Amino acid sequence: MDAKAEQLRGEQQRIDALYARLDELKQDAATRLDRVRRAGPSGSPQNRSERDSFATHHADRLALFEAVEDRLCFGRLDYTEEAGGETRYIGRIGLATPDQTQLLTDWRAPAAEPFYQATAAHPLGVTRRRHIQTRRRAVIGLEDELFDLDHVSKAAAQTLSGEGALLAAIAAERTGHMHDIVSTIQAEQDRVIRSDLARPLVVEGGPGTGKTAVALHRAAYLLYTYRGRLASAGVLLVGPSRLFLRYIDQVLPSLGENGVVTTTLGDILPGFRATAIDAPAAARAKGRRVWQQILRRAVRQRQRLPRTNQEVRVQGHVLTLRRRDLQAAEAQARATRKPYNAARVVFVRRVIEQLTDQLAQAVKAEQHHIERATLAEDVRTARDVRVALNLCWMPLTPTKLLEDLFAKPLLLRAAAPELSEAERRAVARPAGAPWTVSDVPLIDEAAELLGHDDEAGRRERARRHRIRDRERDYAGAVLENQGAGYAQWMLTADQLADRWIGTGPHLSAAERAAQDRTWTYGHIVVDEAQELSEMDWRMLLRRCPTRSFTIVGDPGQTHSAAGARDWAEAFDTLFGAGRWQRERLTVNYRTPASIMALAEASARAAGVPILPTTSARDVPEAALEVSGPDPVALAVAQVVDLLRRGSHAAGPAASDASPTARYGGRLAVIAPAADGAALRAGLERAGIARVGTAETVLDESVSVLTPAEAKGLEFDDVVVVRPEILGAGPAGPRDLYVAETRATQHLRLIGAADQAD
């Protein structure tokens, strides 16, 4: 006992030293940030921009140090004499003394690889690997693994102890947020995390194999290893829902990264948000790749020239819009191969030139002497001309194009011969209907074809002119105040303003990327990738021309009618056969073996192509099937029982009036949507006052969800209600498989009595 206590004291001293260094760095960043902020917003625009940049830098460093406060150091490597005999501590970030003596090695550094890769068969020069368990700044436990007893002292060998860092993490109660696995990454996962960027990487694995955690850790690893390549372009993480992004939002900061842009498909367009979900038939139709031809055709059809010449009136003169002139202008515009709205500018300019020639001739005949620019402005602003040009080639936005296409059957039929009549009926909807997530890639495709609306472009140019006027006034005041000092440089107010225009507040690459639809990223991570349609992938490929992707998912859990059922079919088309690599995770760290056996058996019986996994552990009485005439009442009783089981594990039993009083974990009731209200009412009568929904599931101990809402999340205990209904329909077997594999401790299946064997 004395020897073990001595080990704990020794590690505590080391941890104290690391936190002391962290505190020094925090204080330095806080002092520098305070100094910049106290300087205030005065000075030239360039000075203000530099000040904003420094403030952002110091604020980011301070946020990083705060984010890694918990479990700063989690590991230690002891090397043999032949390997140098050093002791190396592994943590969330690297720390060094002011003279650059290394105190803590970043887990992503090559020097940290043996912590995850060393085995007894291949020790990589390591004689002992130690997992250091901490709570905040206190060391609470040690877990040692010996690889070479010949290099370990007898005293050290006799003091080995611990329950196993991995098993402890697996059995820990779940909270409302995902935690990183940086201290317990296994060799299989580490190999995937450290894969290079040579080809798109597809990481597949059954439920509970850590696909999401691996994807997040890989994002952090890539930013650390390829920072010069990725820092300026950024990394994009695409998740299945806003709830999912909230669930994982603490992982990357705890790994030392704050610069990843996170989004859902519904939020990927700046300033646009889609939340509605299409019916399966509409989602399937909208997900087809043929929409790139449909939309191109729809754009082309919005250019309609009159069949005959037309007369327009400008300043009392009658001018002729000749069809042959319009055709020539249209051909010239299309020859530029610019997007629709940009090509429209060319078309309009050519037609205005032709009409200005006619107006000049008419004015000349009256012996007036007017500058041509004035005549051109008269033509451009004439109501008849504007109406005629808009009828030929109307300025168009992506949403207007799609709205008209969906609301007008004749337009859709003309533009979409590739769709069946049933598919056209599925996508049809009235103008003003809410946009759906499946519409987003179509809007993005339309935006590529249309380009910027020239009206919007004029508004933006006007805004920039106003900014320039303000900066020129400021520059003039500076020159006036400085007098000869600036005059000797022969600077004008315009020249000085040019140096300042566009400096503005400093934005990080991630912030700039999130505001720019055309931004291209250095790398994209896609979670739940099996749910993406062909058009979704086309939208993402546009944002990463280098094809640098980390793609994680499981086709056996596909819910979307437009999603992938087979990786090869999806990615051979996207990337080319042999141009992407696949890795499979095989160990299930979430689901007890008995629960997994039940879930896999039902999935196989329904023909779901699952990816087999090996559970890392089992739990007594983990899976139980119950049936009765009132499944809702049975489900409520099982919830109360599971809450009290969890309470006993945490301490004295909770009172009957408050089943959740001492329950420290998370419990989900997964049921058909039709049973939701009855289940919530029953749980409230049982004393569970706060029952979570899809919006509040991360904040409540007990929630009632559908399988789609529970996807991507995990809970200590799960009660599945009416599995016979959840498993019905085209996506039913996959939804049931998802529902049955969310639990880390206990699963209860509650069926109707007539479904009992």
Side-chain angles (χ1 to χ4, degrees), residues 49-335:
S49 175
E50 291 174 353
R51 192 171 299 116
D52 288 340
S53 179
F54 284 129
T56 300
H57 171 71
H58 297 314
D60 286 347
R61 280 179 57 80
L62 191 57
L64 167 63
F65 297 144
E66 293 290 349
V68 300
E69 166 75 29
D70 190 26
R71 296 174 296 158
L72 171 65
C73 172
F74 53 79
R76 165 179 160 173
L77 292 173
D78 294 335
Y79 284 87
T80 63
E81 293 297 331
E82 292 82 354
E86 69 172 314
T87 295
R88 182 177 298 156
Y89 284 84
I90 312 298
R92 296 175 179 279
I93 60 173
L95 290 177
T97 63
D99 64 0
Q100 298 306 306
T101 300
Q102 195 70 28
L103 299 175
L104 186 65
T105 300
D106 193 301
W107 69 274
R108 296 166 289 185
E113 286 189 41
F115 187 76
Y116 303 107
Q117 295 289 341
T119 64
H122 302 284
L124 304 178
V126 177
T127 183
R128 175 170 61 183
R129 173 169 55 208
R130 169 170 286 175
H131 292 269
I132 302 173
Q133 300 165 22
T134 61
R135 183 176 295 119
R136 300 303 291 174
R137 298 191 172 199
V139 177
I140 61 173
L142 304 175
E143 175 74 20
D144 286 337
E145 298 174 77
L146 295 186
F147 300 130
D148 189 348
L149 285 173
D150 293 337
H151 292 82
V152 178
S153 69
K154 182 178 180 181
Q158 291 175 344
T159 58
L160 298 177
S161 62
E163 60 177 322
L166 176 61
L167 292 178
I170 292 173
E173 290 177 333
R174 267 42 187 177
T175 68
H177 291 274
M178 174 182 279
H179 293 295
D180 63 73
I181 59 169
V182 64
S183 62
T184 58
I185 293 172
Q186 301 302 292
E188 177 184 66
Q189 298 168 323
D190 187 67
R191 184 185 69 252
V192 174
I193 290 169
R194 297 178 191 270
S195 298
D196 63 26
L197 292 176
R199 293 181 295 170
L201 175 65
V202 178
V203 183
E204 65 180 8
T209 52
K211 298 183 295 297
T212 296
V214 165
L216 294 172
H217 287 69
R218 177 164 167 77
Y221 169 78
L222 293 176
L223 278 167
Y224 175 88
T225 305
Y226 302 95
R227 192 165 299 277
R229 174 174 169 181
L230 298 180
S232 59
V235 172
L236 176 67
L237 169 64
V238 181
S241 67
R242 294 190 197 100
L243 174 66
F244 174 84
L245 296 182
R246 279 185 58 210
Y247 179 58
I248 67 169
D249 65 2
Q250 296 177 1
V251 176
L252 283 167
S254 73
L255 297 174
E257 293 299 341
N258 292 300
V260 177
V261 177
T262 61
T263 187
T264 66
L265 293 173
D267 297 329
I268 199 169
L269 302 180
F272 185 87
R273 173 167 286 190
T275 58
I277 302 297
D278 271 311
R284 187 183 302 109
K286 291 178 182 178
R288 294 181 57 193
R289 194 181 302 108
V290 296
W291 279 93
Q292 56 185 298
Q293 287 85 36
I294 293 171
L295 293 174
R296 189 175 298 277
R297 196 177 296 120
V299 169
R300 184 71 174 261
Q301 290 170 353
R302 299 305 288 260
Q303 303 163 33
R304 298 184 291 266
L305 302 186
R307 295 173 182 266
T308 60
N309 296 344
Q310 292 183 326
E311 291 184 345
V312 293
R313 187 172 294 275
V314 179
Q315 296 294 330
H317 299 277
V318 176
L319 310 179
T320 302
L321 267 175
R322 294 184 290 263
R323 176 173 168 79
R324 67 172 184 272
D325 291 339
L326 294 174
Q327 289 175 321
E330 182 184 55
Q332 182 182 17
R334 287 180 174 174

Side-chain angles (χ1 to χ4, degrees), residues 353-665:
E353 287 174 355
Q354 294 163 347
L355 292 176
T356 302
D357 289 341
Q358 293 183 41
L359 182 59
Q361 289 297 322
V363 169
K364 182 179 180 180
E366 298 176 4
Q367 298 183 352
H368 289 305
H369 300 285
I370 303 175
E371 290 187 2
R372 183 179 175 83
T374 302
L375 296 177
E377 183 64 16
D378 289 341
V379 171
R380 189 185 68 80
T381 58
R383 183 180 183 280
D384 283 3
V385 174
R386 291 168 58 193
V387 170
L389 291 179
N390 282 343
L391 288 174
C392 293
W393 198 320
M394 177 73 76
L396 201 55
T397 64
T399 51
K400 177 61 175 173
L401 176 70
L402 265 296
E403 188 173 60
D404 287 350
L405 205 57
F406 293 152
K408 299 176 181 178
L410 290 178
L411 286 181
L412 184 59
R413 186 176 294 111
E418 297 90 345
L419 299 183
S420 67
E421 190 60 36
E423 288 177 315
R424 288 196 286 269
R425 285 197 302 271
V427 303
R429 66 169 186 240
W435 294 106
T436 70
V437 175
S438 301
D439 292 328
V440 173
L442 306 188
I443 293 171
D444 190 62
E445 185 79 22
E448 285 293 303
L449 296 171
L450 295 174
H452 292 295
D453 178 4
D454 56 350
E455 293 290 339
R458 280 195 291 273
R459 290 193 296 271
E460 174 62 17
R461 287 191 291 275
R463 185 188 69 84
R464 290 179 180 175
H465 283 312
R466 289 194 297 273
I467 293 174
R468 179 178 178 80
D469 289 343
R470 289 197 299 268
E471 297 294 354
R472 184 172 56 241
D473 292 344
Y474 180 87
V478 168
L479 292 176
E480 183 178 347
N481 291 335
Q482 296 297 326
Y486 270 71
Q488 66 179 339
W489 300 338
M490 301 300 289
L491 277 175
T492 67
D494 279 335
Q495 291 170 330
L496 190 57
D498 283 339
R499 298 187 178 189
W500 291 340
I501 289 293
T503 53
H506 172 77
L507 295 178
S508 68
E511 290 169 327
R512 285 182 283 120
Q515 298 174 15
D516 185 354
R517 189 196 69 81
T518 62
W519 189 275
T520 56
Y521 292 88
H523 189 77
I524 296 181
V525 179
V526 184
D527 201 357
E528 300 289 354
Q530 73 277 0
E531 305 296 343
L532 272 62
S533 70
E534 293 175 333
M535 288 303 294
D536 290 331
W537 280 112
R538 183 170 170 82
M539 178 171 63
L540 294 184
L541 287 173
R542 191 175 293 122
R543 283 158 174 75
C544 190
T546 60
R547 304 296 200 264
S548 182
F549 281 84
T550 297
I551 300 162
V552 299
D554 175 10
Q557 299 183 61
T558 302
H559 173 80
S560 171
R565 264 64 178 178
D566 179 82
W567 290 141
E569 180 181 339
F571 298 131
D572 282 353
T573 302
L574 282 174
F575 305 122
R579 296 185 178 180
W580 56 280
Q581 57 182 339
R582 183 193 324 227
E583 294 282 357
R584 177 175 293 181
L585 301 175
T586 61
V587 180
N588 188 327
Y589 300 102
R590 175 204 300 152
T591 316
S594 51
I595 295 179
M596 205 61 213
L598 185 153
E600 289 183 349
S602 65
R604 288 194 183 96
V608 176
I610 63 171
L611 298 171
T613 64
T614 300
S615 292
R617 82 206 201 289
D618 203 359
V619 173
E621 300 180 348
L624 180 65
E625 298 182 73
V626 182
S627 62
D630 189 349
V632 170
L634 274 176
V636 171
Q638 286 296 321
V639 168
V640 173
D641 178 64
L642 287 169
L643 292 176
R644 287 177 176 153
R645 284 172 179 256
S647 299
H648 288 306
S655 68
D656 291 343
S658 180
T660 61
R662 294 186 60 82
Y663 184 71

